[in-house]
Amino acid sequence: MEIRVRYLYAIMLCIANMILYGLKVNIATAIIGMVKKKPGLPDWSDECPEYETPEAAVTDIDGPFDWTASEQGLVISIYFAGYLIGMFPSGYLADRFNTKYVLLTCVLANAILTILVPVVASSLYTLYVVRFLTGLMTAANLPIVNVILGKWVVYEEKSMWIGIIFAGTSIGTVISILSSGMILNYVGWEAIFYIHGALPFIWCVVFYIFFADSPEEQKYITEEERSLIVNSYGHRAPISSKMKVPWKSIFTSVPFLSLIVTNTLGNFCWYFLLTQLPLYMNKILRYDIKSNAAIVCAPYLVNAFTNPLLGRILDWGRRKGYWSQTTARKSAVFISMIPASVFLIIITYIGCARVTSTVLLTLSIIFSGAIFVGHLCNQNDLAPNYAGILMGITNTPGTISAFILPPIVGSLVAEGHTILRWRYAFWINIVCSVLAFVIFVIFGSAKIQPWNYPIEDVENWEDNGQQQQETRQEETKT
């Protein structure tokens, strides 16, 4: 049986996403065992007394560090400061240098920095530096994936494999949260970082030995598969890293400018659910720690299957001629924005309907997860030759929501958690999501732009590209 190397490459990228997202979220669980117990009762909302959490269900672990709530929050959030600052430089490096080594550096640095956390934790400011550097080194992840998609993924399979590759973000989140809880309970918080930091070394060794930067350089591949990938519509050749970046064309491109806005506003709901949902379920719906973790993990696990399925459906419809790549991408943006907005509107006005709210919040995460098949891969649609740079540009403002949402919610509930105060937080995300969808539907595109190609090829780019795509579609049908 012939082994398709491009499939193995996609699986390796999926595992890389699992590693990087797992190392991103494990601190949120580990910090429970790192800080000393605080006296006093939790600031529960008293609007839903029927869901009082039994005292036995609340587990407080007495850790070694006497950090304030603000210091604890900064330990977690300073990661995103590094992530934001590193986004554009890492995108540029991913586009201009050997992508394989950029990705290896990203994963290896994350592993080493994770292992260092328990070593430096006694010095809070040193820990801040380590967390900042971790975010800085992780910033290359999304730009790298977009560059590699252009090199390794066949056009007719793009949406499906994007779904599979980014399924790693959901699987990594689930595995990290659940395993961190178990390790914390049975071994201790230090072991979370030692175990999670050691495992990525296995991936690094396998990736270094068996995989190359591009199919043109790959040793372990058949000539038939190499030819299929290299001749695919929109394939990113190795020479692209030497091409001059058309900055003026990029920043005057309407589809790209609309993508910047969509990426900025469209990430609000995703980051809100990722960072604030556990707090809402704990303070308003009154779930205990164990139930909270299980419920939050479930939709991310579902995402690992629904995104590849959605991608496969979008690819199938495009091959059959039912819709274009642009329509497919806009459909994915609709799925990621509008259903979740409707669900959040319902939740804000049904009060203490715990079961209904839980179901709708779960569905909100599942639908929002389609951003990975929607606007977060549109950079590669517009310009495979500059996908890393485009991701670096768009995801820099796209990360702002991860910064501002925690303090916004914190200020809204500073005087206590109430349904009304949380309603304001929900509406911020609803408005942003709807605006992102409207802008992308009107101005967005998934067509490869003329400035993706060298200047001497611009005149014939559209005719040649269309002819190549039609030829590939005919080959697929036969």
Side-chain angles (χ1 to χ4, degrees):
M1 179 180 178
E2 179 186 340
I3 299 177
R4 290 181 170 85
V5 177
R6 67 185 187 277
Y7 296 170
L8 296 179
Y9 211 108
I11 291 172
M12 288 296 289
L13 291 180
C14 176
I15 296 173
N17 278 330
M18 288 173 57
I19 292 170
L20 295 173
Y21 264 72
L23 299 183
K24 178 187 293 188
V25 303
N26 62 4
I27 186 73
T29 301
I31 204 167
I32 297 173
M34 297 172 73
V35 298
K36 293 182 179 295
K37 280 195 281 189
K38 304 296 181 184
L41 296 174
D43 55 333
W44 308 105
S45 165
D46 58 2
E47 294 177 296
C48 304
E50 63 270 31
Y51 302 131
E52 287 290 341
T53 303
E55 289 184 6
V58 181
T59 304
D60 288 326
I61 302 173
D62 195 13
F65 307 119
D66 189 18
W67 298 336
T68 66
S70 298
E71 290 170 337
Q72 294 176 50
L74 190 55
V75 167
I76 297 174
S77 64
I78 200 170
Y79 170 99
F80 290 101
Y83 191 76
L84 179 68
I85 293 173
M87 185 57 63
F88 176 73
S90 63
Y92 185 84
L93 291 173
D95 253 328
R96 303 290 95 183
F97 293 92
N98 186 297
T99 317
K100 171 185 175 178
Y101 294 122
V102 178
L103 180 57
L104 271 171
T105 302
C106 176
V107 175
L108 186 61
N110 265 264
I112 294 172
L113 291 167
T114 298
I115 292 173
L116 285 177
V117 169
V119 177
V120 305
S122 58
S123 172
L124 184 59
Y125 288 99
T126 307
L127 179 59
Y128 287 156
V129 173
V130 169
R131 290 287 297 161
F132 175 86
L133 291 175
T134 306
L136 187 71
M137 298 306 299
T138 309
N141 181 34
L142 290 180
I144 288 171
V145 169
N146 269 275
V147 172
I148 292 178
L149 282 172
K151 294 180 178 181
W152 278 93
V153 174
V154 175
Y155 183 81
E156 288 76 16
E157 303 169 347
K158 180 185 285 189
S159 294
M160 178 188 70
W161 281 105
I162 286 172
I164 292 174
I165 291 168
F166 283 116
T169 63
S170 300
I171 298 173
T173 299
V174 172
I175 293 176
S176 181
I177 293 174
L178 295 181
S179 64
S180 295
M182 293 177 62
I183 296 170
L184 176 62
N185 188 43
Y186 293 106
V187 185
W189 66 269
E190 298 96 334
I192 294 175
F193 301 102
Y194 290 137
I195 295 173
H196 287 182
L199 292 176
F201 285 96
I202 300 173
W203 181 93
C204 289
V205 171
V206 173
F207 190 68
Y208 177 79
I209 295 174
F210 294 105
F211 295 92
D213 177 58
S214 65
E216 288 88 343
E217 301 170 4
Q218 178 70 25
K219 293 181 180 179
Y220 310 103
I221 189 173
T222 64
E223 288 303 319
E224 180 183 3
E225 184 179 15
R226 193 197 313 273
S227 178
L228 173 67
I229 299 171
V230 169
N231 293 312
S232 175
Y233 175 62
H235 173 69
R236 177 188 170 113
I239 192 66
S240 61
S241 63
K242 307 298 183 182
M243 291 164 53
K244 183 179 179 181
V245 181
W247 295 110
K248 182 179 178 181
S249 297
I250 289 174
F251 284 104
T252 55
S253 169
V254 172
F256 179 68
L257 293 176
S258 71
L259 179 58
I260 294 178
V261 179
T262 302
N263 211 80
T264 303
L265 299 177
N267 287 358
F268 264 78
C269 192
W270 175 256
Y271 276 120
F272 175 73
L273 293 170
L274 182 67
T275 62
Q276 303 303 303
L277 178 58
L279 185 65
Y280 181 82
M281 296 181 68
N282 182 248
K283 302 300 184 182
I284 300 297
L285 300 183
R286 310 294 291 277
Y287 281 104
D288 61 73
I289 295 173
K290 292 182 180 179
S291 299
N292 203 337
I295 294 170
V296 169
C297 282
Y300 291 108
L301 187 60
V302 175
N303 268 339
F305 300 95
T306 54
N307 277 350
L309 177 61
L310 174 61
R312 187 172 182 82
I313 292 172
L314 295 177
D315 283 338
W316 169 82
R318 193 189 63 249
R319 286 197 302 268
K320 292 291 185 180
Y322 296 149
W323 50 69
S324 65
Q325 183 77 302
T326 296
T327 302
R329 206 62 72 214
K330 289 181 178 180
S331 299
V333 172
F334 170 84
I335 292 170
S336 67
M337 305 292 174
I338 303 305
S341 298
V342 174
F343 297 149
L344 292 182
I345 291 173
I346 296 173
I347 292 168
T348 60
Y349 293 100
I350 60 175
C352 295
R354 190 189 204 189
V355 174
T356 304
S357 294
T358 303
V359 171
L360 292 178
L361 286 169
T362 301
L363 290 174
S364 296
I365 295 176
I366 294 173
F367 278 91
S368 292
I371 64 172
F372 293 104
V373 191
H375 68 268
L376 284 183
C377 65
N378 188 231
Q379 296 83 356
N380 185 267
D381 295 325
L382 298 179
N385 289 327
Y386 306 104
I389 291 174
L390 300 191
M391 175 56 79
I393 295 170
T394 57
N395 214 40
T396 297
T399 308
I400 291 175
S401 53
F403 275 124
I404 67 175
L405 282 171
I408 287 175
V409 173
S411 63
L412 288 172
V413 300
E415 297 181 4
H417 291 267
T418 66
I419 293 174
L420 177 60
R421 289 168 183 154
W422 273 94
R423 185 177 297 162
Y424 295 131
F426 275 53
W427 268 106
I428 291 172
N429 298 280
I430 293 166
V431 171
C432 288
S433 294
V434 173
L435 284 176
F437 168 69
V438 171
I439 290 169
F440 192 79
V441 164
I442 296 174
F443 301 107
S445 174
K447 293 181 179 179
I448 296 179
Q449 300 300 296
W451 41 268
N452 175 69
Y453 301 97
I455 190 66
E456 61 269 16
D457 295 335
V458 169
E459 293 181 1
N460 299 320
W461 80 276
E462 189 169 20
D463 292 338
N464 292 341
Q466 183 64 32
Q467 183 180 2
Q468 189 177 10
Q469 184 181 7
E470 291 173 355
T471 302
R472 292 289 303 121
Q473 288 176 340
E474 289 299 321
E475 291 176 357
T476 302
K477 291 179 181 178
T478 56

